[in-house]
Amino acid sequence: MIHVNKRSGMESKKKILVAATKVFSDYGYKGASMRMIAGAAGISIGGLYLYFKNKEDLYGTLIRNRLDDLTEETRETLRDIQDPAEAMSTFISMRVKYARKHRELILVLGKEQAITFGLKAKRKFFEDQRRVIEEIVRKGITSGRFRSCDESEVAKIIICALRGFILSMIVEPDALFSHEECSNLILKGILAKK
Amino acid sequence: MIHVNKRSGMESKKKILVAATKVFSDYGYKGASMRMIAGAAGISIGGLYLYFKNKEDLYGTLIRNRLDDLTEETRETLRDIQDPAEAMSTFISMRVKYARKHRELILVLGKEQAITFGLKAKRKFFEDQRRVIEEIVRKGITSGRFRSCDESEVAKIIICALRGFILSMIVEPDALFSHEECSNLILKGILAKK
DNA sequence: GGATAAACTAAACAATGATTCACGTGAACA
DNA sequence: TGTTCACGTGAATCATTGTTTAGTTTATCC
């Protein structure tokens, strides 16, 4: 009774999403055309519309999928790390590594801050990430490892700094710096201990 | 002999640049049309081409002007500050304040990383800024105020963190944090002094 | 006033965009 | 084998784009 064609649609859908990520990251939302995406995916223009309502839908699906993945992966990894300093380092290096690996995604995200449909998913993502950091900082303070501070404020700042690290890493790949140094600065600051 | 029309062109050029900044920041480079810019500037479409060769020229002029201004302003302000910690704080708060005041510019900059003509001016800008920070860090180390570290590496990291602060500030105006806290984290880190 | 040139306009141009639709294709089931 | 339908095509549609151009207004100079 179930009717599944051998030319499985799911495969095409995946091919489209992969191709679209590449094209969007190279040209931005407006700069990427459905023709280009279709070409990159090896499918016809009309074919795109079998799987996505329109350009906006394609873009939104792409963003949502990837961000949800990363959020899940983050929680997973941090689950059994107890030391807050180590958790912080791990969080930072995770995000940096993910960004390096999924360069395209970061470019897409960075490029279209104004497109409203992307914004909601992005906000949710950063909110999630912020909460994770906040929890780490809270633990750090109560355990005496971290200096006393407003954990929510500091969490915000760290998230933002991290965002800058990653953006720069992507935009200027030659101006590289290690994620160890990033962690180090955030943990120790730059003032000499007196 | 000098022939200057009362309908002075310079005024129109300024009006266009102001309007273009707004429109570009709202819609991005591709998303902004010459029609929209003309409308916002209260001028005809053809009028734009009296002052700018084309869309790319208009965009490029806009970026270059603003970035050069900020670089100059930065050097000016830091000239007579001796204490490296104070210089660092001042630098950070300057950039944050500038970003808050010229929200549109930051949005424009953040939006089109891929447009090559904008990129060159931007790279130069960040390079300039990096050198300023590097100098501050170097002074801090030799004077014993800062812990010993690779000044060029740390300068890069601080620039990137700052970029993140500013980007976040612009994208999510509600998730505000003080520039005092930013300086604080960079200067002191988060680990407790032992 | 008449001439000149800068400042400006509006319509037109060719190119390109997203989206639609009438039409093929081939695997699965009867 | 023939019917069905998911899958796929690409020319056509229509809006919008950047840019050009022919023509109009307006301030200055003789």
Side-chain angles (χ1 to χ4, degrees):
Chain A
M1 200 49 66
I2 304 154
H3 201 97
V4 178
N5 208 316
K6 268 272 173 63
R7 325 182 244 175
S8 164
M10 277 307 118
E11 234 169 76
S12 295
K13 188 162 185 174
K14 272 209 185 103
K15 267 200 308 187
I16 293 172
L17 281 172
V18 170
T21 306
K22 171 89 175 104
V23 177
F24 277 131
S25 77
D26 282 349
Y27 301 96
Y29 179 78
K30 273 276 181 180
S33 78
M34 295 300 264
R35 270 176 183 74
M36 293 163 75
I37 295 171
I43 203 175
S44 67
I45 306 161
L48 296 180
Y49 290 85
L50 293 174
Y51 301 98
F52 302 95
K53 220 169 70 254
N54 49 34
K55 190 180 181 183
E56 183 174 326
D57 180 37
L58 171 51
Y59 179 80
T61 305
L62 196 145
I63 298 290
R64 246 173 291 116
N65 282 358
R66 297 291 207 100
L67 290 188
D68 287 351
D69 281 358
L70 178 52
T71 299
E72 188 47 39
E73 202 178 315
T74 305
R75 286 192 199 286
E76 201 75 25
T77 307
L78 291 183
R79 190 169 324 238
D80 4 71
I81 298 180
Q82 295 305 326
D83 177 33
E86 191 196 333
M88 187 71 79
S89 291
T90 305
F91 182 90
I92 292 171
S93 73
M94 254 202 78
R95 287 267 281 146
V96 170
K97 271 182 206 153
Y98 188 90
R100 246 195 266 275
K101 193 168 165 196
H102 297 91
R103 203 169 168 277
E104 292 97 357
L105 175 66
I106 310 292
L107 279 170
V108 174
L109 284 178
K111 216 158 285 187
E112 309 290 336
Q113 292 131 7
I115 310 280
T116 38
F117 44 88
L119 229 154
K120 221 173 68 182
K122 260 176 275 184
R123 276 206 220 281
K124 182 183 166 303
F125 172 73
F126 280 109
E127 181 56 28
D128 283 348
Q129 297 266 307
R130 217 212 64 224
R131 257 199 292 269
V132 172
I133 293 281
E134 199 176 310
E135 186 55 35
I136 294 177
V137 175
R138 198 189 337 271
K139 268 202 220 161
I141 297 174
T142 57
S143 75
R145 279 282 272 154
F146 291 172
R147 69 180 166 85
S148 146
C149 61
D150 181 335
E151 66 249 26
S152 129
E153 189 79 359
V154 166
K156 267 192 276 182
I157 295 178
I158 291 177
I159 282 290
C160 296
L162 197 46
R163 185 189 280 198
F165 293 158
I166 286 166
L167 180 62
S168 306
M169 210 181 67
I170 297 301
V171 176
E172 283 147 301
D174 41 319
L176 270 184
F177 47 80
S178 61
H179 53 260
E180 287 90 355
E181 278 285 0
C182 291
S183 303
N184 221 16
L185 186 69
I186 286 182
L187 290 174
K188 295 180 9 193
I190 191 168
L191 281 182
K193 304 259 201 290
K194 47 185 172 199
Chain B
M1 199 50 67
I2 303 151
H3 201 99
V4 177
N5 207 316
K6 267 273 176 61
R7 319 185 251 179
S8 163
M10 277 307 119
E11 232 170 77
S12 294
K13 189 163 184 174
K14 274 216 182 94
K15 267 200 309 188
I16 292 173
L17 281 171
V18 170
T21 306
K22 171 89 175 105
V23 176
F24 276 131
S25 78
D26 282 350
Y27 300 96
Y29 179 79
K30 274 275 183 181
S33 78
M34 295 301 264
R35 275 168 183 76
M36 292 163 75
I37 295 171
I43 204 176
S44 67
I45 306 160
L48 296 180
Y49 289 85
L50 294 175
Y51 301 99
F52 302 96
K53 221 170 68 255
N54 49 34
K55 189 182 182 182
E56 183 174 324
D57 179 37
L58 171 52
Y59 179 80
T61 306
L62 195 145
I63 298 288
R64 247 173 291 115
N65 281 0
R66 297 291 206 98
L67 289 188
D68 287 351
D69 282 358
L70 178 52
T71 299
E72 190 44 40
E73 203 179 315
T74 306
R75 287 193 199 287
E76 201 76 24
T77 307
L78 292 183
R79 190 169 324 238
D80 1 73
I81 297 180
Q82 296 305 326
D83 178 32
E86 192 195 333
M88 186 73 79
S89 292
T90 305
F91 183 90
I92 292 170
S93 73
M94 254 203 78
R95 288 265 281 144
V96 170
K97 271 182 204 153
Y98 188 90
R100 243 194 269 275
K101 193 168 165 195
H102 299 91
R103 205 168 167 276
E104 291 99 358
L105 174 66
I106 310 292
L107 280 170
V108 174
L109 284 177
K111 214 158 288 187
E112 308 291 334
Q113 292 131 5
I115 310 280
T116 38
F117 46 87
L119 229 157
K120 221 173 66 182
K122 259 177 277 183
R123 275 206 220 280
K124 183 183 166 303
F125 172 74
F126 279 112
E127 180 56 27
D128 283 348
Q129 298 266 307
R130 217 212 63 225
R131 257 199 292 270
V132 173
I133 293 279
E134 200 176 308
E135 186 54 34
I136 294 178
V137 174
R138 197 187 340 269
K139 267 202 220 162
I141 297 174
T142 58
S143 74
R145 279 284 269 156
F146 292 171
R147 68 178 166 86
S148 148
C149 61
D150 179 337
E151 66 249 26
S152 128
E153 189 78 359
V154 166
K156 269 191 278 181
I157 296 177
I158 290 176
I159 282 291
C160 296
L162 196 46
R163 186 189 278 199
F165 294 159
I166 286 165
L167 179 64
S168 306
M169 209 182 67
I170 297 301
V171 177
E172 282 147 301
D174 40 318
L176 271 184
F177 48 78
S178 61
H179 54 259
E180 286 91 354
E181 277 286 359
C182 291
S183 304
N184 220 17
L185 185 68
I186 286 182
L187 290 174
K188 297 182 5 194
I190 192 166
L191 281 182
K193 305 257 199 288
K194 45 184 172 202

